[in-house]
Amino acid sequence: MATGIYLSAMTSQSGKSLVALGLADSLIKRADRVGFFRPVFNGTVESEDPMVKLMRKNFNLSEKQARGGVSLERCRELLAEGNHEEMSSIAVSVYGEMAEHCDVIIIDGTDLMAHNAATVEFDLNAQFSRDLGVPVIAVVGAQGSSVADINNAVDVARTELHDAKVDVLAIMVNRCAPELVEEVEQSVKRGPSKRPVYVLPEMPEIAQPSVREVVSALDLNTKTIEDEMLDRDIHDIKIAAMTVSNFLAQFEDGDFVIVPGDRTDVMVATLASALSPSFPAPAGMLLTGGFEDTVSPDSVIGSLVERSPFPVFRTDLDTFKSGRAVAGVHGNLSLGQPRKVAAALGEWSRRVDEHELLERLELERPASMTPLRFLHNLIEKARSNRRAIVLPEGQDPRILRASEIIVRRDFCDIVLLGDKKQILEVAQKEGIDLPIAENEGDKGIRIIDLTNNEYAEDFAATYAELRAHKGMTLEGARNRMSDPSYFGTMMVYKGLVDGMVSGAVNTTANTIRPSLEFIKTREGVKVVSSVFLMLMEDRVLVFGDCAVNPNPNSDQLADIAKASAETARQFGVDPKVAMLSYSTGTSGAGADVEQVVEATEKLRESNPNFAFEGPIQFDAASNASIAASKLPDSDVAGQATVFIFPDLNTGNNTYKAVQQTSGAVAVGPVLQGLRKPVNDLSRGCTVEDIVNTVAITAIQAQTL
């Protein structure tokens, strides 16, 4: 039977979407199958509802796991008819269908948007929760409220829910003025249960609209606009109805510029400003009033606009109506923009003790590990023992986007290497909001300029000493330390950061070579190796070595097995190690088989604290029925979780074959065996790959 949690807004504009998102993030790490249900959805069909779409996309929910009940239009018709029973009947029916595919379901109630019908909507939410037999998390909006008003609203909410005979799981205050959060937390009454009332602040990162939200609200054409440009935050609106000099005097970074389509002087000035490092860049520009000829692609101005580093849109609306329409757009989470989602989840993790909250529910422990839960657990585990990671490729836009998301998720401290001015120029051009820590100890991203920093001479002296046996001079060491990979690795060596992630621009050799030179392997480790974490549909497997060692000998294979088992444990996988070969047991012979036999024997002699088997074929290691006939008495056969391949050719091709044919997510390569963690990215990596690799590196650093 599925467990349900009902989210009920107690005031209009409560920001309930943040609570839904944060709650789902907490649950996805603790339940096999999470669902999301909106008894009343926006749009004519449930797939149009923004929150349904957001939850499906962000948590990989199927149509059976994220659904709606009745449309808002149909709901109003039924309410007008006084037919509440049909509404509840539909809700109970859909919830019952979802319960067959979910272990826990978040039910997202109505938003109290109709001020003249707030009482009706409250009664409707209360009825739904009673009919579904689920407890309520009440969300009290505190936007613009004083401490006294907030405390009173919480008391009223508690009383109303009690009178409605609703089982209250928790009360949350949302959108509180940041400077009042602590005072509200200390003064708000806990009620009979003595459970904490969680207080979430108003967040500019969410409240500020993005270009994408303006595009959606005004139905603007984005055919020629790169998708990433649409995620820029809009800090303010500037209507350019003045001279260029006066306009530029008021223009600031992140402004959304609204300008008549015939004001080519303002267009050119805005473009010039964006291209100049010392002048502000806009979030976007809207050309009003039509004037297609003025900015047509064939015109001089049009050709400049088409090459603009910021998004430019056109509308037939006049400037006044355009300004009013854009001003009416408010930021929200429903479009699922990664930056806003990251900010919301980061704030949720800071303000809500999810363990305490979910202890109020009786949730069974998950029976399996899904890819989504594994990736969400990475963030939680990295946050539990915070570490600092250096990213040497500080001028790559993907690195900067990932850094912004990491800071917003708030699970790791980030240090970027590179020319600060150039990094900020790239961020400005790409619309990336980098919170910079100006001094050590400040919250935000640190930037270290390789040509002007306090560490260079010390690093060079240390490197010259470490490599003196290779003839390294101090001058040569200074030159090496001008290389970001060497500088970043030295930061790890010196303990100024806990790990390094590189490879978005540099080759694997560039990333690994410095660490082999002076970080070196841990005591007892013979070789640096790698694994891929293969996120299957219902479990996580570990494949090694698929990226570093072309032809490991038997000693190295045994070493790789031990390191891979240790890595598996770090990430919550119980290691059962299969030493792979084209032969199972004594069924085959040959030099390749003998090498695996020797590696298995050396592994046995080292008395490892994990189960292992070898030589064994992949099918016997992974398939229980085949294992029953080939190795019936093995503790590993048929249930292996760690697969050690005999060479790089086999391992690399196998992980890619599994990835491409099964839909598995391959996370890695994760380097192992070093004294301190350094990890490599592929040059085709995505922002999500970088975020995950940073989290993995931070987790490795927790135990080194």
Side-chain angles (χ1 to χ4, degrees):
M1 182 64 182
T3 299
I5 306 170
Y6 198 99
L7 301 185
S8 181
M10 303 306 296
T11 56
S12 63
Q13 298 182 342
S14 65
K16 182 162 51 66
S17 298
L18 186 153
V19 177
L21 196 68
L23 185 61
D25 184 66
S26 298
L27 289 169
I28 207 78
K29 293 172 282 195
R30 291 166 173 77
D32 278 325
R33 302 172 302 169
V34 174
F36 180 76
F37 174 41
R38 294 205 83 189
V40 179
F41 62 84
N42 292 317
T44 55
V45 294
E46 59 192 45
S47 60
E48 293 177 353
D49 183 276
M51 279 302 296
V52 171
K53 289 195 291 186
L54 169 63
M55 302 302 273
R56 284 180 181 176
K57 176 184 176 182
N58 208 64
F59 298 103
N60 195 30
L61 305 183
S62 69
E63 292 183 2
K64 294 180 179 179
Q65 292 173 302
R67 294 187 56 182
V70 298
S71 69
L72 180 58
E73 182 180 358
R74 179 58 179 154
C75 171
R76 287 169 176 164
E77 292 174 355
L78 292 172
L79 289 176
E81 297 168 2
N83 195 347
H84 291 208
E85 289 185 5
E86 184 173 346
M87 294 272 297
S88 284
S89 177
I90 294 171
V92 170
S93 176
V94 174
Y95 180 83
E97 293 171 7
M98 292 181 66
E100 297 179 10
H101 307 281
C102 304
D103 299 312
V104 58
I105 301 173
I106 300 169
I107 304 113
D108 190 20
T110 62
D111 297 313
L112 303 186
M113 294 304 293
H115 297 289
N116 60 343
T119 302
V120 174
E121 289 190 58
F122 172 81
D123 291 343
L124 184 63
N125 285 324
Q127 180 179 335
F128 281 152
S129 67
R130 290 194 302 268
D131 290 341
L132 295 173
V134 298
V136 164
I137 292 180
V139 185
V140 176
Q143 186 183 29
S145 299
S146 66
V147 173
D149 289 340
I150 294 169
N151 288 338
N152 183 60
V154 170
D155 290 341
V156 170
R158 189 177 285 121
T159 300
E160 288 181 340
L161 292 167
H162 177 269
D163 292 345
K165 296 180 172 55
V166 167
D167 181 14
V168 180
L169 180 69
I171 294 178
M172 294 190 177
V173 174
N174 193 23
R175 305 190 69 183
C176 178
E179 66 274 14
L180 300 181
V181 168
E182 290 188 12
E183 187 177 351
V184 172
E185 287 177 334
Q186 294 170 5
S187 61
V188 70
K189 294 178 182 177
R190 291 196 171 202
S193 68
K194 303 303 180 184
R195 294 167 175 169
V197 173
Y198 292 109
V199 184
L200 299 161
E202 177 77 290
M203 300 178 62
E205 302 97 321
I206 297 174
Q208 290 174 340
S210 66
V211 173
R212 190 182 299 276
E213 286 163 327
V214 168
V215 165
S216 177
L218 275 67
D219 194 25
L220 300 176
N221 187 344
T222 61
K223 187 175 181 180
T224 61
I225 309 295
E226 293 182 13
D227 190 66
E228 284 185 341
M229 284 189 172
L230 301 180
D231 286 332
R232 296 167 181 245
D233 290 334
I234 296 173
H235 298 161
D236 202 356
I237 301 168
K238 288 292 189 301
I239 298 178
M242 58 191 77
T243 63
V244 167
S245 60
N246 287 333
F247 166 69
L248 290 178
Q250 299 182 26
F251 180 38
E252 296 181 358
D253 264 334
D255 284 347
F256 189 79
V257 178
I258 301 174
V259 56
D262 61 349
R263 287 294 302 274
T264 56
D265 56 338
V266 175
M267 296 178 208
V268 173
T270 306
L271 182 59
S273 179
L275 294 174
S276 174
S278 58
F279 281 80
M285 184 161 62
L286 178 62
L287 310 180
T288 67
F291 299 106
E292 293 294 334
D293 293 340
T294 307
V295 290
S296 69
D298 298 331
S299 68
V300 174
I301 298 299
S303 63
L304 289 173
V305 168
E306 291 296 325
R307 293 169 175 79
S308 168
F310 53 84
V312 180
F313 309 95
R314 297 172 176 82
T315 178
D316 290 331
L317 294 175
D318 63 33
T319 304
F320 174 75
K321 290 179 180 176
S322 297
R324 187 170 59 180
V326 174
V329 179
H330 300 287
N332 60 66
L333 290 166
S334 61
L335 293 184
Q337 294 163 271
R339 302 165 73 181
K340 288 182 181 286
V341 169
L345 295 180
E347 198 61 46
W348 173 269
S349 68
R350 281 189 290 271
R351 296 293 177 182
V352 177
D353 183 346
E354 59 184 32
H355 299 287
E356 185 279 331
L357 179 64
L358 296 184
E359 276 179 0
R360 307 177 191 184
L361 296 169
E362 294 182 4
L363 294 177
E364 295 184 9
R365 293 187 64 83
S368 61
M369 177 61 76
T370 65
L372 186 66
R373 185 181 309 114
F374 180 83
L375 293 174
H376 281 259
N377 280 343
L378 279 184
I379 305 300
E380 182 181 27
K381 192 167 185 179
R383 185 185 290 117
S384 69
N385 191 357
R386 196 183 188 89
R387 290 292 185 262
I389 305 299
V390 62
L391 306 177
E393 300 156 326
Q395 288 166 224
D396 186 283
R398 293 168 298 170
I399 294 292
L400 299 185
R401 292 187 191 282
S403 298
E404 180 188 15
I405 286 175
I406 290 166
V407 170
R408 290 190 174 198
R409 287 296 304 264
D410 194 32
F411 66 84
C412 186
D413 294 324
I414 295 295
V415 178
L416 297 175
L417 301 185
D419 184 286
K420 183 175 181 178
K421 182 178 178 182
Q422 292 179 7
I423 288 174
L424 295 179
E425 285 177 13
V426 173
Q428 181 190 59
K429 179 182 176 182
E430 298 288 332
I432 300 168
D433 182 15
L434 290 181
I436 303 301
E438 298 297 340
N439 303 299
E440 192 168 352
D442 290 352
K443 188 174 181 180
I445 296 169
R446 287 184 63 205
I447 299 177
I448 297 178
D449 191 332
L450 297 188
T451 62
N452 181 24
N453 64 80
E454 60 186 295
Y455 308 110
E457 278 302 305
D458 177 53
F459 284 11
T462 301
Y463 183 73
E465 181 182 347
L466 292 171
R467 301 295 288 175
H469 65 289
K470 293 290 186 179
M472 179 58 61
T473 65
L474 182 59
E475 189 58 37
R478 289 189 182 112
N479 184 58
R480 281 289 170 84
M481 286 303 119
S482 67
D483 182 318
S485 293
Y486 274 89
F487 191 97
T489 306
M490 186 60 76
M491 289 190 73
V492 178
Y493 177 82
K494 289 278 193 177
L496 296 171
V497 292
D498 302 296
M500 183 178 84
V501 172
S502 186
V505 178
N506 293 301
T507 64
T508 296
N510 290 141
T511 298
I512 298 177
R513 187 184 299 114
S515 58
L516 294 178
E517 286 185 10
F518 55 91
I519 286 183
K520 298 189 176 180
T521 57
R522 298 200 306 275
E523 185 176 350
V525 174
K526 298 180 177 66
V527 63
V528 173
S529 60
S530 73
V531 295
F532 278 90
L533 304 171
M534 304 299 293
L535 312 187
M536 313 302 286
E537 184 178 358
D538 59 351
R539 64 194 187 281
V540 177
L541 303 178
V542 179
F543 284 10
D545 175 2
C546 306
V548 177
N549 297 286
N551 293 292
N553 58 35
S554 57
D555 283 324
Q556 291 172 330
L557 280 175
D559 204 51
I560 291 168
K562 288 188 284 186
S564 300
E566 182 180 341
T567 299
R569 277 206 178 101
Q570 278 185 310
F571 296 100
V573 177
D574 181 22
K576 295 183 178 182
V577 178
M579 305 295 288
L580 296 174
S581 171
Y582 60 75
S583 169
T584 295
T586 58
S587 65
D592 291 338
V593 175
E594 287 305 312
Q595 179 163 286
V596 177
V597 170
E598 290 178 17
T600 305
E601 185 56 36
K602 289 176 179 178
L603 185 59
R604 182 173 291 107
E605 291 171 359
S606 70
N607 193 29
N609 59 352
F610 54 85
F612 62 95
E613 186 68 69
I616 187 171
Q617 293 161 288
F618 193 97
D619 59 351
S622 59
N623 187 297
S625 60
I626 295 174
S629 61
K630 289 189 175 184
L631 281 176
D633 298 324
S634 172
D635 293 332
V636 172
Q639 50 186 325
T641 57
V642 179
F643 297 79
I644 306 303
F645 295 91
D647 54 60
L648 183 60
N649 182 53
T650 306
N652 192 269
N653 278 296
T654 302
Y655 106 76
K656 288 180 178 176
V658 171
Q659 179 188 35
Q660 295 300 319
T661 58
S662 72
V665 177
V667 177
V670 179
L671 298 184
Q672 53 191 17
L674 291 167
R675 290 181 181 176
K676 295 187 178 183
V678 172
N679 277 309
D680 182 38
L681 299 164
S682 72
R683 276 169 281 178
C685 63
T686 65
V687 171
E688 185 178 11
D689 292 334
I690 298 168
V691 173
N692 290 337
T693 305
V694 168
I696 284 170
T697 308
I699 292 168
Q700 287 180 305
Q702 292 172 354
T703 56
L704 294 178

